[in-house]
Amino acid sequence: MVLAALSFACIPIFPVIPAIVCGHVAWSKISKSGGALHGKGIAIVGLIVGYLAIPWAVLQVWFLAGMIQGERGRLHDLAVERQEIVSDDGNLKVTTSGFWFKTSDLNKEASMQVANKREDMYLMVFTDTKSAVGGMTLEQRHQTARDRKLQSMQNPSATQTVPLTIDGHAALQDEVSGTQQGTNLVFLHTTVDDGDYFQQIVAWTTKSRWQKQNPELREATNSFHSEK
């Protein structure tokens, strides 16, 4: 009877089956005891409540399956959805999956900050006028930022820098990895020559997730667009 009552208070499929089994076993033993055992009424009540809980159990299982299916569909839609995230001043944009969102807690100096905390992925953009960095070339600016990042980490390493085009502008890109605050990280480090500006795009995740998240981080970086 207790198990049957619990079937209405929690996920019913778990207590309802043992409730019915126990009810039949108890009824059988009491009937065969020749009056030595009592509690037949309680066994009958347990059986009745247990059988009444079966439709409730079926309904609950159907409802739970629908919720799981709906959540799977929502996550699939977010994964394939493409959205434009725009900086606060409206000048910078990146295109990401639906799991990403704009944030402001990564670095106060960043012109733009976005995150996919569900997958532990982050991206920031730093904007510098060329006059503010002493008229450096793209190569010099990229190397300076790269060296600074390497110096800030333990056990640092970097891949060879490769040229590419982002948003119609010349860019340089490499991977910088190392340990920060006890966490092994890999950064996709990109510098874009944006006319009168240098745009530093830094996208990263943990080293254990890098192989899986690398394509999405590159896609978000390569989607960068500036209205400056």
Side-chain angles (χ1 to χ4, degrees), residues 71-86:
E71 180 64 10
R72 285 179 177 175
R74 185 185 73 85
L75 294 177
H76 175 267
D77 290 343
L78 287 173
V80 300
E81 172 191 344
R82 286 296 174 265
Q83 61 172 344
E84 264 194 358
I85 302 180
V86 184

Side-chain angles (χ1 to χ4, degrees), residues 82-97 100-104 110-115 123 125 223-228:
R82 286 296 174 265
Q83 61 172 344
E84 264 194 358
I85 302 180
V86 184
S87 61
D88 290 338
D89 61 9
N91 289 327
L92 308 177
K93 299 178 183 179
V94 291
T95 302
T96 68
S97 73
W100 290 75
F101 58 89
K102 188 161 61 175
T103 186
S104 59
S111 306
M112 185 178 192
Q113 309 174 53
V114 295
L123 184 149
V125 181
S223 73
F224 173 79
H225 174 70
S226 172
E227 298 289 346
K228 289 182 178 295

Side-chain angles (χ1 to χ4, degrees), residues 212-225:
K212 178 183 177 182
Q213 315 295 19
N214 176 17
E216 186 170 351
L217 291 172
R218 290 183 183 277
E219 180 182 358
T221 299
N222 293 341
S223 73
F224 173 79
H225 174 70

